[in-house]
Amino acid sequence: MLHVMYHPLITHKLTQMRKKETGTKDFKQNLDEIAGLMAYEVCRDLPVKKVHIETPVCECDTYELAKEIVLIPILRAGLGLVNGINDLIPTAKVGFIGLYRDEETLEPHEYFAKFPSTMPSAVNLVLDPMLATGGSAVAAIDMIKARGAKTIKLVCLVAAPEGVKAVEEAHPDVDIYLAALDEKLNENGYIVPGLGDAGDRIFGTK
Ligand code: PRP
Ligand code: URA
């Protein structure tokens, strides 16, 4: 299922990120803030379990999260979504997938993978600001399914319709969360209007 989060705060912050004059510091700060706002919605249906506790006043039945959360950023740009979500879920474990997109073929290439062993029983959030052709997200989800992950959500900032379609076709069981669904891809595989190269803008590499 596709969830596009139309919220004035998210849209306002994303607009700041889209502006070409926005520098690394403000780009990262807005990304952090959007990640926190998105986490609230992404976690809405997390399973909870009943627990019996004692407050300073009395004993009572209440609820806690029933499953561990694993954050899996797709390097590099996915790292930009980790802090904002981790602030809200400080107990989350973090795994990493290193993928880069070949600039000519647009095919993803794997260069790193490190995962927590709890992935099969956890709720796994795959993080990447950009869902363009969808090649990277599909490959990342393939990799974590191969390690036994069953509950997977894909959290992106901006997507092209082509990327959403690719993920929905390859992994119909994965919910996709976006801050915006943009118009299309251009001839270089960039999202239009998009925000440019997310990795370069986060890490100041151009
Ligand atoms: C970007 C982005 C995604 C991918 C999206 O990463 O962060 O991972 O491209 O494109 P796709 O949907 O067509 O696969 P990039 O490969 O530029 O690496 P970087 O994050 O290290 O800059
Ligand atoms: N990767 C990015 O960082 N930006 C795009 O628009 C497409 C892929």
Side-chain angles (χ1 to χ4, degrees), residues 77 101 130-133 185 188-192 194-200:
R101 198 171 75 142
M130 310 309 279
L131 180 60
T133 65
L185 290 179
N188 300 317
Y190 275 78
I191 299 171
V192 178
L195 47 74
D197 188 306
D200 283 341

Side-chain angles (χ1 to χ4, degrees), residues 128-181:
D128 194 332
M130 310 309 279
L131 180 60
T133 65
S136 303
V138 168
I141 296 167
D142 285 342
M143 286 167 70
I144 66 169
K145 280 188 173 173
R147 268 102 170 164
K150 287 174 197 68
T151 308
I152 303 166
K153 294 167 180 268
L154 175 64
V155 184
C156 303
L157 205 61
V158 181
E162 294 88 331
V164 171
K165 186 163 177 276
V167 175
E168 284 178 338
E169 282 177 5
H171 297 292
D173 55 318
V174 172
D175 278 355
I176 305 171
Y177 295 83
L178 303 176
L181 179 58

Side-chain angles (χ1 to χ4, degrees), residues 110-131:
E110 178 187 337
Y111 60 89
F112 188 72
K114 182 85 181 166
F115 301 115
S117 59
T118 46
M119 227 164 43
S121 59
V123 175
N124 299 281
L125 306 184
V126 177
L127 312 178
D128 194 332
M130 310 309 279
L131 180 60

